[in-house]
Structures are given as C-alpha cells and as structure tokens.
C-alpha cells in the first residue's frame, strides 16, 4: 500500500506492506535513519518520534497508521543548521556514549520540555522512564535535561 505522510515538515511517501512499522519505513525507505532500532518491541525508546505531536515508539506504530499524519524525528528538531537546545545540552553534558539511545532520549526530552519547561526531578525520571541507556548510568542524561530546562546548554 502507498503511505503518504509529512516527515519533519516535508511530504514523504513510500510503498509499504501492511505490517510494516513506521520505524522501518522511516529508516529504510524515507531516508530518516536517526530513529534507532534497538528492540523493535516497545521496550527501549530508541525509536521515539512525535506522531501528530504525541510521543510514540515508531516500532509499535504501523507505517499505515501514519498515513496522512505528521511525524517529527530527531532529524527534524534541529532548525536552520542550529542544534536544538536539547541536542546542545546532551553534547555539553557529555550525555552520549555509544549514542544508540540518544535520538530517542533527545526526542523524549524535547517532548517533556515542550509540556513542562521546568520539570521536577521526578517528572524528568518519569518522562524518560521508557528510554533505556546501557552506557551512561543516566546521571549525565538527567544533567543534560536540567541544563536544557535551565536554558544553559
Ligand atoms: S526499537 Fe522501538 S522501543 Fe525499542
Ligand atoms: S549511550 Fe549507549 S545506550 Fe545510551
């Protein structure tokens, strides 16, 4: 089936099979490999994207479900050649090791701060509880979120 959607503000379309995930279509057919495929079963959050502004795991959404909808991936956060403040904060805080979890964490953090510009420690931990990182121990990730929230990346 033909799936037509908007990705990061641009029209996009691909032929997909009925069971194909949005993550697969984004990475393999539409040229947006930023969202990572680590578990493909909704456990790790590395594939986090916004679907019509709502945070979702792209591995759990069918490409067909995104037909006619708006998707924002990590590639869509940077604007005009400038890093998104959350991306900048992750860099400055040293919150990236292998980087596999980073795109999902950046999207989830941007989503959190768009709803709660000054989240509490508990709100940060709750908001990122669906994003697993095997490398950092999370402290620098939480520091990056605090930096982005404080506007001091
Ligand atoms: S790849 Fe989607 S949640 Fe892990
Ligand atoms: S930096 Fe490696 S999984 Fe998070």
């Amino acid at each position: 089936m033909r799936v037509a959607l908007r990705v990061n503000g641009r029209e996009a379309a691909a032929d997909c099979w009925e069971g194909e995930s949005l993550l697969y279509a984004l990475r393999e057919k539409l040229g947006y490999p930023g969202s990572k495929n680590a578990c493909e079963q909704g456990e790790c959050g590395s594939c986090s994207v916004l679907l019509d502004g709502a945070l979702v795991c792209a591995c759990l959404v069918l490409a067909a479900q995104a037909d006619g909808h708006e998707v924002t991936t990590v590639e869509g956060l940077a604007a005009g050649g400038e890093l998104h403040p959350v991306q900048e904060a992750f860099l400055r805080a040293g919150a990236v090791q292998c980087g596999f979890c980073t795109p999902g964490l950046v999207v989830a953090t941007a989503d959190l701060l768009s709803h709660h510009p000054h989240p509490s420690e508990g709100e940060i931990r709750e908001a990122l509880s669906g994003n697993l990182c095997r490398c950092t121990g999370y402290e620098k990730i939480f520091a990056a979120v605090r930096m982005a929230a404080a506007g001091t990346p």
Side-chain angles (χ1 to χ4, degrees):
M1 66 175 291
R2 190 75 174 161
V3 172
L5 65 165
R6 283 177 69 81
V7 182
N8 300 334
R10 294 187 179 173
E11 302 296 332
D15 290 318
C16 302
W17 67 284
E18 285 75 3
E20 191 166 306
S21 72
L22 173 60
L23 178 62
Y24 187 89
L26 287 170
R27 289 180 50 81
E28 307 297 336
K29 296 183 174 170
L30 297 173
Y32 295 97
S35 311
K36 298 296 180 254
N37 181 357
C39 74
E40 215 167 10
Q41 52 187 341
E43 297 289 345
C44 74
S46 67
C47 62
S48 301
V49 300
L50 301 178
L51 177 62
D52 292 337
L55 189 67
V56 298
C57 291
C59 70
L60 294 183
V61 176
L62 294 175
Q65 290 176 291
D67 186 54
H69 295 273
E70 176 91 32
V71 173
T72 303
T73 71
V74 69
E75 292 98 331
L77 294 182
E82 298 287 321
L83 289 180
H84 186 282
V86 173
Q87 293 171 313
E88 189 72 41
F90 270 66
L91 275 179
R92 294 281 176 90
V96 179
Q97 288 191 29
C98 81
F100 218 78
C101 65
T102 310
L105 278 160
V106 165
V107 172
T109 301
D111 179 64
L112 167 67
L113 297 183
S114 72
H115 295 101
H116 300 285
H118 304 291
S120 66
E121 223 29 55
E123 287 171 328
I124 293 172
R125 286 168 187 258
E126 174 68 25
L128 300 186
S129 61
N131 293 80
L132 304 184
C133 174
R134 301 296 297 271
C135 306
T136 65
Y138 297 98
E139 287 308 321
K140 290 187 176 180
I141 290 170
F142 295 144
V145 178
R146 285 184 222 111
M147 285 170 67
T152 56

